[in-house]
Amino acid sequence: MASFQIRKYRDEDSEAVKDTFTLGMSEHVPSSFMHMLKQPPTQLVLMCLFCALITSSKSFLFPILALTLVLAGARQLVVYMFKRYIDTSLSKDLKNISETYLKQKDSCFWVVEVDDVVVGTVACLPAVNAPACLELKRMSVRRSHRRMGIAKALCRTVTEFTRDRGFAAVVLYTSVVQTDAQRLYEDMGYKKIREFVVPELPAKIMNFTLIEYRLDLQREGSE
């Protein structure tokens, strides 16, 4: 198994980081589409539409074709939601990582290298909605380099950084469809705090929720 190295971000890593982030987020389109199809309102709408079409057309072919088009449109809605999120992220904190993370207090951005190639990322910064906490962000590992312990090592890197700076906890947000990530964080000791629907309309239609996790850190000298 190839060894890996975790180091701080350098400006020449920019394109590799953006590619890793984009690929990682795009992987969730199929699972998000299936999540939408499993929602009772979605199933009810599809059933009612199929019944209405088959009653009016007296044919099986037309309703099936119509539902195929509806499902294709629904998948494009999922693609649009993820593309919008990716584009927004690339134009905000990932546009200038050095300014956003490395030059700000209590913030950092790390990359993982295998054979001098960036295969993973993680970052942290002060949490906006959780005083005295740092937020773990931009966790991503390329599919080709998973099951190597990289994600756990990245989590530990953020934990150590947070503890060294005297913060009480690490918080993070992950989506309902990222089940592997949920298992990882729970294995690392994170506790689920709450689950909430993303405010954007496409996410509400899909009942696409985010989950907040928190890892409380034991202070030195505490019991």
Side-chain angles (χ1 to χ4, degrees):
M1 182 180 295
S3 61
F4 59 87
Q5 174 192 7
I6 298 176
R7 62 167 175 79
K8 285 187 179 181
Y9 169 88
R10 297 192 292 256
D11 287 340
E12 56 264 32
D13 300 322
S14 177
E15 290 306 313
V17 167
K18 292 176 181 178
D19 287 345
T20 300
F21 169 74
T22 300
L23 288 172
M25 291 306 304
S26 299
E27 288 177 2
H28 302 305
V29 168
S31 57
S32 298
F33 179 57
M34 292 305 300
H35 172 76
M36 180 175 67
L37 294 183
K38 291 177 182 177
Q39 301 306 304
T42 303
Q43 295 178 354
L44 180 62
V45 168
L46 292 175
M47 181 64 70
C48 291
L49 178 61
F50 180 79
C51 291
L53 290 174
I54 201 169
T55 300
S56 61
S57 66
K58 308 297 184 181
S59 167
F60 276 101
L61 181 60
F62 177 68
I64 290 174
L65 290 175
L67 282 181
T68 300
L69 291 175
V70 170
L71 291 174
R75 191 179 189 282
Q76 284 304 114
L77 176 66
V78 177
V79 171
Y80 165 78
M81 186 180 74
F82 275 90
K83 185 178 185 303
R84 181 177 177 183
Y85 175 74
I86 290 169
D87 289 345
T88 299
S89 300
L90 293 178
S91 65
K92 289 187 175 180
D93 65 300
L94 294 180
K95 183 177 182 180
N96 193 330
I97 294 172
S98 292
E99 288 291 336
T100 305
Y101 293 98
L102 300 187
K103 295 183 180 180
Q104 302 301 319
K105 184 180 179 182
D106 299 321
S107 303
C108 199
F109 197 106
W110 297 268
V111 300
V112 184
E113 281 187 332
V114 174
D115 297 329
D116 298 322
V117 176
V118 172
V119 299
T121 66
V122 75
C124 68
L125 43 66
V128 175
N129 299 317
C133 299
L134 292 187
E135 180 181 350
L136 184 152
K137 296 174 66 69
R138 303 313 180 204
M139 167 75 82
S140 184
V141 179
R142 287 182 179 264
R143 184 182 294 274
S144 58
H145 290 80
R146 292 172 190 169
R147 313 299 178 190
M148 294 173 56
I150 292 176
K152 288 186 176 180
L154 289 172
C155 281
R156 286 191 290 268
T157 298
V158 172
T159 300
E160 292 166 6
F161 182 89
T162 304
R163 182 181 286 113
D164 289 346
R165 279 152 183 77
F167 286 85
V170 183
V171 296
L172 62 86
Y173 300 90
T174 190
S175 73
V176 67
V177 301
Q178 292 175 271
T179 53
D180 287 344
Q182 293 169 38
R183 283 192 291 269
L184 165 69
Y185 297 134
E186 289 168 10
D187 287 346
M188 298 297 292
Y190 283 82
K191 303 299 182 184
K192 185 183 293 187
I193 303 300
R194 63 185 178 117
E195 186 170 348
F196 57 96
V197 178
V198 179
E200 283 76 7
L201 180 60
K204 289 183 177 179
I205 294 173
M206 295 168 53
N207 192 29
F208 190 85
T209 59
L210 291 180
I211 302 171
E212 180 182 354
Y213 280 94
R214 178 182 174 116
L215 176 66
D216 288 304
L217 304 178
Q218 185 175 7
R219 304 293 185 101
E220 286 190 20
S222 62
E223 295 294 330

